[in-house]
């Protein structure tokens, strides 16, 4: 089976992890802060806070922004469930903004309409979480303007988008947002096994996220309420969690970071080649951003009709031919645990049509042209009536 995504692990990566295994610290040592410093520098943000997953980072990001019971958080229905669950962990309500039919990102036009309605009803969101689907940045300048006008905070879910740019700045620089979150799950652009990281330019948000990921505890003398503390003294200042990244993960991340530009370049090369090979196919190819570089986490095609039976047929034929196609994503609001909250089919029609016609083709740095030719031949056969 040719998988839809796969990590690339080099001998240097392995050596970096082994070095940490032989060192004094497996957790809470010097490597996690080094990883944070290097990511912050790479994406042009002032602060970076690593965690054991992007899901954890999204949770502490919401908490740091004060999300709690009575609040509403909006995100995209075309995402992994974690983009929405982070708000629910805080006791807040979730709503979705339907997607743009070309980029599959949260539609800025829909966002604006929904904000007008919510303002009238007095139910504006506290936080909006745009998701940079497949690596292509949302229109953050436009979303940032709406945030100012309507007074909400913004967390970019950039789980797909480390290495992407938007209007000539790296995703993660938080030019139009409060916080950006990256994932280092093995299918993502670079990996730490499991892992996530939040960037921000706000020192107070950085501090809050940094203590929330470790029980809400600080030992920083400047931050302690106690004036002349004993040497063993530490303070729990908020109810936090054990969401720490470990040293082995950070070592892998640091080593992978050296390959980031190469991975993104290779993904773009393969994506362009798919574009070429699929030119005459009756499928919609990804529409490329005019305003930046996509890290191309995913290469998604759309079938010409959104027909669940046809979608399933093409999908099954691909899987039978050994192609690990996938669907990113089943709309979040149609998950049973979200239907329980009152969500139902018909509420976000673009995301639903997308869910009945999208197919993720394999794309990962180690993929060869031969692999790609096999995928394209299988697709040609699968699309035949
Ligand atoms: C992978 C992913 C997450 C969760 O990342 P983890 O590191 O696995 O917790 C969140 N949002 C999106 C869009 C993702 O793709």
């Amino acid at each position: 089976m040719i998988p839809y995504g796969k990590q690339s692990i080099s001998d240097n990566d392995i050596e970096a992890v082994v070095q940490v295994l032989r060192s004094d610290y497996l957790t809470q040592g010097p490597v996690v802060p080094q990883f944070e410093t290097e990511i912050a520098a790479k994406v042009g943000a002032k602060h970076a806070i690593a965690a054991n997953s992007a899901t954890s980072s999204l949770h502490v990001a919401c908490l740091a922004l004060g999300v709690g019971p009575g609040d509403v958080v909006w995100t995209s229905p075309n995402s992994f469930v974690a983009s929405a669950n982070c708000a629910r962990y805080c006791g807040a309500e979730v709503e979705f903004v339907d997607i743009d039919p070309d980029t599959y990102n949260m539609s800025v036009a829909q966002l604006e309409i929904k904000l007008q309605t919510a303002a009238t009803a007095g139910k504006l969101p506290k936080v909006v979480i745009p998701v940079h689907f497949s690596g292509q940045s949302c229109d953050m300048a436009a979303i940032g303007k709406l945030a100012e006008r309507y007074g909400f905070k913004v967390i970019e879910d950039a789980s797909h988008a480390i290495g992407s740019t938007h209007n000539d700045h790296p995703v993660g620089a938080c030019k139009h947002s409060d916080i950006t979150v990256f994932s280092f799950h093995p299918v993502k652009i670079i990996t730490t096994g499991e892992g996530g990281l939040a960037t921000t330019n706000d020192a107070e948000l950085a501090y809050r996220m940094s203590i929330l990921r470790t029980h809400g505890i600080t030992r920083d003398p400047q931050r302690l309420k106690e004036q002349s503390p004993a040497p063993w003294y530490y303070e729990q200042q908020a109810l936090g969690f054990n969401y720490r990244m470990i040293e082995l993960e950070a070592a892998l991340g640091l080593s992978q970071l050296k390959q980031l530009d190469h991975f993104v370049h290779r993904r773009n090369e393969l994506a362009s080649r798919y574009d070429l090979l699929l030119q005459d196919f009756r499928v919609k190819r990804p529409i490329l951003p005019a305003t930046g570089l996509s890290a191309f986490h995913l290469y998604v095609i759309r079938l010409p009709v959104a027909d669940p039976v046809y979608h399933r047929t093409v999908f099954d034929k691909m899987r039978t031919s050994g192609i690990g196609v996938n669907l990113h994503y089943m709309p979040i609001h149609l998950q049973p645990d979200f239907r329980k909250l009152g969500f139902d089919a018909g509420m976000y029609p673009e995301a639903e049509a997308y869910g009945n016609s999208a197919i993720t083709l394999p794309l990962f740095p180690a993929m060869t042209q031969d692999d790609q030719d096999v995928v394209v031949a299988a697709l040609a056969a699968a699309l035949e009536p």
Side-chain angles (χ1 to χ4, degrees), residues 52-56 58 78-83 131-133 157-160 181-185 187-188 194-196 297 329:
N52 58 3
S53 71
T55 304
S56 302
L58 286 165
N78 183 34
S79 185
F80 184 56
V81 289
S83 307
V131 180
H132 303 317
F133 178 78
D157 183 344
S159 292
H160 300 182
V181 168
F182 296 116
S183 170
F184 307 121
H185 183 279
V187 295
K188 306 291 164 71
E194 294 278 3
H297 168 52
Y329 291 91

Side-chain angles (χ1 to χ4, degrees), residues 74 110-122 124 149-150:
W74 294 0
Q110 292 292 328
L111 175 62
E112 192 158 5
I113 292 168
K114 195 174 160 79
L115 283 166
Q116 281 163 3
T117 313
T120 311
L124 282 166
R149 190 183 325 153
Y150 289 94

Side-chain angles (χ1 to χ4, degrees), residues 9-308:
I9 300 295
S10 69
D11 288 346
N12 287 340
D13 291 341
I14 293 167
E15 184 48 41
V17 174
V18 169
Q19 249 183 29
V20 168
L21 272 172
R22 295 188 199 284
S23 78
D24 290 339
Y25 295 98
L26 299 185
T27 187
Q28 295 177 287
V31 188
V32 169
Q34 193 189 337
F35 182 52
E36 292 173 332
T37 303
E38 290 204 15
I39 297 261
K42 179 79 187 170
V43 304
K46 286 199 183 126
H47 310 277
I49 292 91
N52 58 3
S53 71
T55 304
S56 302
S57 295
L58 286 165
H59 184 193
V60 296
C62 285
L63 289 173
L65 289 170
V67 174
D71 292 328
V72 189
V73 172
W74 294 0
T75 188
S76 169
N78 183 34
S79 185
F80 184 56
V81 289
S83 307
N85 287 340
C86 55
R88 296 179 58 191
Y89 297 153
C90 304
E93 253 179 78
V94 178
E95 285 177 26
F96 299 94
V97 179
D98 209 355
I99 61 171
D100 179 278
D102 287 337
T103 63
Y104 316 139
N105 278 331
M106 175 186 286
S107 156
V108 175
Q110 292 292 328
L111 175 62
E112 192 158 5
I113 292 168
K114 195 174 160 79
L115 283 166
Q116 281 163 3
T117 313
T120 311
K123 218 188 162 194
L124 282 166
K126 177 133 186 180
V127 172
V128 173
I129 309 181
V131 180
H132 303 317
F133 178 78
S134 81
Q136 175 168 351
S137 177
C138 297
D139 186 349
M140 290 311 300
I143 293 172
K145 273 200 196 116
L146 291 172
E148 268 176 40
R149 190 183 325 153
Y150 289 94
F152 57 84
K153 303 290 183 187
V154 180
I155 302 171
E156 298 175 64
D157 183 344
S159 292
H160 300 182
I162 193 160
S164 297
T165 62
H166 177 54
N167 292 341
D168 298 328
H169 61 259
V171 168
C174 301
K175 290 276 186 239
H176 308 285
S177 68
D178 299 278
I179 298 169
T180 302
V181 168
F182 296 116
S183 170
F184 307 121
H185 183 279
V187 295
K188 306 291 164 71
I189 311 291
I190 58 170
T191 188
T192 58
E194 294 278 3
L197 182 139
T199 60
T200 181
N201 295 318
D202 181 315
E204 205 48 40
L205 287 177
Y207 174 67
R208 271 183 247 159
M209 290 192 286
S210 75
I211 66 168
L212 286 167
R213 64 136 175 220
T214 180
H215 310 282
I217 286 175
T218 184
R219 293 169 191 274
D220 179 352
Q222 311 240 294
R223 296 278 185 174
L224 296 178
K225 312 252 183 274
E226 175 76 35
Q227 288 311 308
S228 45
W232 61 79
Y233 188 78
Y234 58 79
E235 267 175 20
Q236 180 180 332
Q237 298 185 336
L239 181 60
F241 305 85
N242 183 349
Y243 280 170
R244 292 187 302 258
M245 175 178 278
I246 63 171
E247 295 283 283
L248 285 79
E249 294 169 329
L252 179 55
L254 269 171
S255 181
Q256 287 261 304
L257 188 56
K258 295 196 179 98
Q259 296 267 81
L260 173 60
D261 293 343
H262 164 70
F263 288 159
V264 170
H265 177 74
R266 180 66 187 146
R267 284 176 174 278
N268 273 274
E269 230 170 39
L270 288 163
S272 304
R273 190 160 182 273
Y274 265 139
D275 280 345
L276 210 63
L277 295 171
L278 299 179
Q279 259 184 118
D280 300 324
F281 282 51
R282 288 186 59 245
V283 297
K284 183 169 171 178
R285 289 175 272 119
I287 293 177
L288 283 169
T291 56
L293 177 74
S294 171
F296 256 111
H297 168 52
L298 303 171
Y299 189 94
V300 175
I301 56 163
R302 296 273 306 265
L303 300 176
V305 288
D307 170 11

